[in-house]
Amino acid sequence: MVATPQMPEKETLFKWALSLVIPLAVYFLLPQDGETLTRPMALFLAVTTWAVVVWATDIINEVAVGILLPVLYIVICGVPQKVAYGPWTSQVPIIVIGGFTLGKILQDTGLGKRIGLTCVRAMGGSFVGALWGLTLAVFIVAPLVPAITGKAAIFCAIAISLCEALDFRPKSREATAVILGTCLAVASSKLCYLTGGADLVLGMGLADKVMDTKTAWMQYAYHNFIPGTIYTAMSVGLVMVMLPSKVDRKTLGPILETKLKELGPVTKAQKTAAFFMLLTLILLATDTLHGINAGLILIMVAFASFLPGVGLMNGDRFSKINFAPLFFIMGCMAIGSAGGNLKVTQWIASITLPFFHEMSPTSAGTSAYILGALSNFLLTPLAATTTLTSPLVELGVQMDMNPRVLYYSFQYGLDNYLFPYEYAVLLYFFSSGFMLFKDMVKVLAVRMVLTTFFIAFIAIPYWKFVL
C-alpha cells in the first residue's frame, strides 16, 4: 500500500537524475583540446543534451525548455544574443503564425473536416486508405510548392481536421498515425524533386559548384523520383504497420457517412475558405515568379481573412489560437544557430570525413547517410547542408567516384530524425498536440534503421545505374 504511490515519485527522481548526469558526462568525457573542440563547444553539446533528455523524459514542459534554451546558450556558452535569437528574424515564426491561422480557419469553417472526410471516402472508407489518400494529395502538391514549411502548414491543418472529424482523440494511436503519416509524406516526398525544399536547391547549388556542373530540374527528378517515391511509401507504410488502427472499415464506414451528413451542404464560409486555400497554394507554387516567401504569403492570407465581407477570422477567433508551440519551435531552432556560431559543424566534419577514404561507393554513401542523420541532433538540415555539402562533395571527387551519391545519401540522412527539435517540419506537426511522443519516436527510430538498408541496397545501386 505504501510502495505503490511512491513509484511515480521514484520514477520522476530517476528522470531528473538522468537529465543532470548525462549532460555532465557529455561535458567531462568530450576530448576538449581548446582548438578543434573548445570549452564553449563542449558546453553547447552538454546544454543541448540536457534539453533532449528533458524533452524525452517529459519532466519539464517543452515550451518552457524552448524559451530557456537561447538564454542558456547566451549565458553558459557565450553565444551572442543576436545569434541565439536569430531564428526569430527568419520566416519560420511568421509561417507558424500564418499556418496556425489557416488551420483555425479550416477548423472553424468545417472545410478541413470536409476535405479530410472526402479523402477517406474516396480511398474506400478505410483508415489505411485515408493515409494513402493524404499521401497522394501531398505528392500532387510537392513539386509545385518549394516551401516545405508551407506544405506542412496546409496538410497539418487537414490532418488535424480529419482526426477531429473521426473523433480520434489527441495522442491516441489513430491520431498519432494520421499526423505522423502526413508529416512523413510531406517531408519524404520533398526528396523527389529539386523544388521540394529550399535546402535541396541550396545544397545542389553547392554541389554543382564543386563538380563544375549544372543540375536541371528534370535531371534531378530522373535521379531521385523513383527512389524518393519508394522511400515515401516505405515511410508512410511503416506508420500503418507500427500504429495499426483499431477501427476497421465496417466501423469507420457508418461513422464516416454520419459525419459527412452532419456537415450538410457546402456553406458560403467553406467556399470562401476553399478560395483562400487555393490562392495560398497558387502563391506558394509561384514564389519564384513573384519573389514573396512562404511566411509572408501566409501572413497576407491571414490578414485578408479579417477583411470586411470575408469574415473568416476576427479578434475573438484569433485570440483562441494556441501560439505557445511557437516558443518551443523557436527555442529548438536556436540549437542550429548556436551550433553554427560555435563551429560545431566544422568539428563534426573534421572527425568524420577522414573515415570516408578508401571506402567503396556503397560504404561511403551509407556513411554519408549516417553523417546526415547524426548531424540532425545538433544542427538544422539547412545548417548541415550549408556547412557539410561542399567538403563531402569534394571528398567524393578525391575518391574518384560520382559525388552525387554522397550528396543524395547525405540528404536522406537529413530527412531522418528522432526528436521534434531536429527538424522544423516535424516540430510543426508535433506542436499540434495530436502525436504521442513515445509512439512517434518508436516509428522514427525503426524508419532510421530501415533507411540505412534502403540507401545501401536500393538507392545507391539505382544511382550508380543512372549516373
Side-chain angles (χ1 to χ4, degrees):
M1 294 294 292
V2 178
T4 303
Q6 290 180 344
M7 289 302 291
E9 184 178 345
K10 289 182 178 179
E11 183 180 344
T12 301
L13 289 174
F14 176 71
K15 291 178 179 179
W16 274 104
L18 281 180
S19 71
L20 296 175
V21 172
I22 295 178
L24 287 173
V26 168
Y27 177 75
F28 287 109
L29 293 177
L30 285 171
Q32 302 177 43
D33 57 10
E35 295 181 3
T36 55
L37 182 61
T38 63
R39 183 171 177 270
M41 292 167 67
L43 287 170
F44 164 81
L45 293 169
V47 169
T48 305
T49 302
W50 170 81
V52 172
V53 174
V54 169
W55 281 325
T57 54
D58 196 26
I59 54 177
I60 303 177
N61 180 270
E62 68 269 13
V63 175
V65 178
I67 293 173
L68 182 64
L69 260 183
V71 178
L72 294 180
Y73 290 141
I74 295 168
V75 175
I76 296 178
C77 307
V79 175
Q81 184 168 324
K82 65 179 181 180
V83 173
Y85 285 99
W88 284 95
T89 62
S90 69
Q91 66 166 321
V92 173
I94 55 177
I95 283 177
V96 173
I97 294 170
F100 279 19
T101 304
L102 178 64
K104 182 66 172 174
I105 291 171
L106 292 178
Q107 180 185 32
D108 287 355
T109 61
L111 178 63
K113 286 185 178 181
R114 190 176 293 278
I115 293 173
L117 291 173
T118 302
C119 285
V120 177
R121 186 165 65 177
M123 297 301 290
S126 68
F127 179 78
V128 171
L131 286 180
W132 285 127
L134 285 171
T135 302
L136 178 61
V138 170
F139 250 94
I140 294 171
V141 174
L144 303 176
V145 182
I148 184 72
T149 43
K151 285 178 282 194
I154 293 170
F155 284 101
C156 183
I158 293 174
I160 291 172
S161 295
L162 176 60
C163 290
E164 292 174 341
L166 296 176
D167 295 327
F168 294 157
R169 56 185 176 79
K171 299 187 178 180
S172 64
R173 180 188 292 179
E174 287 80 8
T176 301
V178 170
I179 303 299
L180 181 57
T182 306
C183 173
L184 294 182
V186 170
S188 303
S189 61
K190 175 192 79 170
L191 296 165
C192 295
Y193 314 98
L194 186 56
T195 51
D199 53 335
L200 289 177
V201 178
L202 172 64
M204 201 68 251
L206 293 172
D208 280 335
K209 186 175 181 180
V210 174
M211 296 184 293
D212 194 24
T213 57
K214 180 65 176 177
T215 302
W217 191 92
M218 282 301 298
Q219 183 183 13
Y220 181 92
Y222 176 57
H223 295 164
N224 288 284
F225 178 76
I226 292 178
T229 301
I230 296 172
Y231 172 66
T232 303
M234 180 195 79
S235 300
V236 178
L238 185 62
V239 174
M240 299 175 187
V241 171
M242 295 189 67
L243 301 175
S245 173
K246 298 177 182 178
V247 183
D248 57 26
R249 182 177 299 187
K250 291 182 179 179
T251 305
L252 191 60
I255 296 175
L256 177 63
E257 294 304 322
T258 301
K259 293 292 183 181
L260 281 169
K261 288 180 181 178
E262 288 176 358
L263 288 176
V266 180
T267 64
K268 180 182 177 182
Q270 289 175 356
K271 291 178 181 178
T272 306
F275 169 77
F276 271 71
M277 187 173 177
L278 179 61
L279 177 63
T280 302
L281 280 172
I282 293 172
L283 290 173
L284 288 172
T286 56
D287 69 340
T288 54
L289 298 177
H290 51 67
I292 305 174
N293 65 48
L296 296 179
I297 289 170
L298 289 171
I299 288 295
M300 288 190 296
V301 172
F303 166 76
S305 68
F306 281 87
L307 294 175
V310 177
L312 292 177
M313 186 58 61
N314 55 39
D316 183 57
R317 291 174 187 166
F318 189 79
S319 66
K320 293 178 181 177
I321 301 174
N322 179 22
F323 287 114
L326 173 62
F327 296 93
F328 171 54
I329 293 171
M330 300 316 296
C332 292
M333 293 196 68
I335 297 174
S337 57
N341 178 263
L342 295 172
K343 302 187 184 305
V344 174
T345 45
Q346 285 86 335
W347 175 67
I348 294 174
S350 68
I351 62 175
T352 56
L353 293 184
F355 291 101
F356 282 70
H357 290 286
E358 307 302 325
M359 284 186 177
S360 67
T362 300
S363 298
T366 305
S367 298
Y369 159 76
I370 295 173
L371 174 63
L374 293 178
S375 298
N376 279 333
F377 287 101
L378 299 175
L379 302 165
T380 63
L382 188 60
T385 296
T386 303
T387 54
L388 293 174
T389 294
S390 294
L392 194 61
V393 174
E394 287 173 357
L395 185 64
V397 174
Q398 295 171 13
M399 292 172 64
D400 196 27
M401 62 176 290
N402 196 310
R404 294 176 189 271
V405 172
L406 295 182
Y407 171 69
Y408 293 155
S409 300
F410 177 65
Q411 285 297 330
Y412 274 85
L414 294 180
D415 190 56
N416 276 267
Y417 21 75
L418 291 178
F419 306 114
Y421 80 89
E422 296 181 51
Y423 189 29
V425 173
L426 182 60
L427 263 175
Y428 192 94
F429 278 86
F430 182 74
S431 66
S432 68
F434 275 74
M435 283 198 285
L436 184 64
F437 183 85
K438 65 177 184 179
D439 282 350
M440 176 195 71
V441 172
K442 178 176 65 175
V443 172
L444 293 177
V446 174
R447 176 178 179 255
M448 185 177 289
V449 174
L450 285 180
T451 305
T452 307
F453 295 98
F454 166 80
I455 290 292
F457 299 109
I458 297 178
I460 292 178
Y462 176 81
W463 290 325
K464 288 167 68 176
F465 175 74
V466 300
L467 290 174

